[in-house]
Amino acid sequence: MQIIYWSLIILMFMVAFIGLIYPIIPSVLFIVIGFLLYGLFFTFTELTWIFWMIQGLFIALLFGADYLANLLGVKKFGGSKAAIWGSTIGLLVGPFIIPFLGIIVGPFIGAVLAELLIHKKNFKDTLHAGFGSLIGFISGVFAKGLIQLIMIAYFLIQVLR
């Protein structure tokens, strides 16, 4: 039975990492579900209030990393708030329009279109904003992936010692 329980916990963590690529999947929720499954299947003893406080800080860091990476990427390359919103919309809509490439192309096109339509910038400047959104997205994925790895490593340290 333990193999099935650990398989379900690991599956939750794997889904969380898939959520890095497909933002429609709430990564942090699946990590927390993995923690809760461990508590339900085994015990909550190792998951102390300190554990939950530290994980809560990591969760806040996850949300902040996502927003900050996108903001800095777009701003550094001359984009406006419209480009940030366009990038976010493109990130959510892109994978549905172009299944695999949409996650990369969506934020880029969203930022470019937002700059063109809202601020009527020239095409070269809009491409810079689009490139910034792409850099921001990729940076955010790496930052969130690292944070998720740390969260899971801390969990494993707590429960396997």
Side-chain angles (χ1 to χ4, degrees), residues 3-94:
I3 292 172
I4 294 171
Y5 293 159
W6 275 108
S7 295
L8 287 172
I9 293 167
I10 291 168
L11 178 66
M12 293 301 112
F13 295 157
M14 289 171 46
V15 171
F17 282 99
I18 292 169
L20 292 173
I21 306 299
Y22 290 100
I24 194 105
I25 298 172
S27 296
V28 71
L29 179 65
F30 283 94
I31 289 177
V32 172
I33 289 172
F35 299 160
L36 293 174
L37 285 177
Y38 175 85
L40 292 172
F41 294 152
F42 298 104
T43 179
F44 281 101
T45 306
E46 292 92 3
L47 308 180
T48 65
W49 67 272
I50 294 173
F51 169 84
W52 290 108
M53 291 289 290
I54 291 171
Q55 294 295 2
L57 291 172
F58 281 126
I59 289 169
L61 195 58
L62 271 174
F63 288 121
D66 197 23
Y67 176 75
L68 195 59
N70 193 23
L71 177 73
L72 292 176
V74 172
K75 286 289 185 186
K76 180 155 178 70
F77 286 86
S80 66
K81 286 185 180 183
I84 294 169
W85 278 102
S87 168
T88 303
I89 293 168
L91 181 65
L92 295 173
V93 174

Side-chain angles (χ1 to χ4, degrees), residues 59-143:
I59 289 169
L61 195 58
L62 271 174
F63 288 121
D66 197 23
Y67 176 75
L68 195 59
N70 193 23
L71 177 73
L72 292 176
V74 172
K75 286 289 185 186
K76 180 155 178 70
F77 286 86
S80 66
K81 286 185 180 183
I84 294 169
W85 278 102
S87 168
T88 303
I89 293 168
L91 181 65
L92 295 173
V93 174
F96 293 107
I97 296 173
I98 308 168
F100 183 71
L101 289 177
I103 197 69
I104 295 171
V105 176
F108 178 82
I109 292 173
V112 168
L113 286 176
E115 289 293 322
L116 281 172
L117 297 173
I118 305 296
H119 294 291
K120 311 225 186 309
K121 290 186 175 181
N122 67 46
F123 194 66
K124 183 180 176 189
D125 290 341
T126 62
L127 288 178
H128 283 197
F131 183 70
S133 75
L134 187 60
I135 296 295
F137 169 72
I138 292 169
S139 301
V141 166
F142 281 112

